[in-house]
Amino acid sequence: MKISKPKEWSDLERKKLSAMIRRRYGAAEIAAALHRHVGSVKRMAREMGLLLKK
């Protein structure tokens, strides 16, 4: 069984994440737009010090 390495976040993805959070999008909507898992979006937002909409 092969364990895949997580895909790195590009600067453009980080900027889109930040902009979408400012526009009050939810984690699921952001994940769909960026083609990422919801957990990955939440983790990156937390690392960047951003708060997601509840």
Side-chain angles (χ1 to χ4, degrees), residues 32-50:
L34 297 178
H35 306 290
R36 294 276 187 169
H37 290 282
V38 175
S40 178
V41 168
K42 288 179 178 180
R43 185 180 318 110
M44 183 51 64
R46 188 171 49 248
E47 286 179 17
M48 293 173 67
L50 302 172

Side-chain angles (χ1 to χ4, degrees):
M1 186 159 125
K2 184 178 178 184
I3 299 174
S4 63
K5 183 178 177 185
K7 188 171 115 179
E8 292 288 325
W9 281 76
S10 69
D11 289 336
L12 181 60
E13 285 178 316
R14 290 173 195 255
K15 287 178 185 176
K16 283 184 180 180
L17 172 65
S18 179
M20 290 183 82
I21 289 174
R22 280 195 306 270
R23 291 188 193 116
R24 306 296 291 159
Y25 283 93
E29 294 169 302
I30 296 170
L34 297 178
H35 306 290
R36 294 276 187 169
H37 290 282
V38 175
S40 178
V41 168
K42 288 179 178 180
R43 185 180 318 110
M44 183 51 64
R46 188 171 49 248
E47 286 179 17
M48 293 173 67
L50 302 172
L51 295 174
L52 285 164
K53 177 180 98 170
K54 290 277 178 175

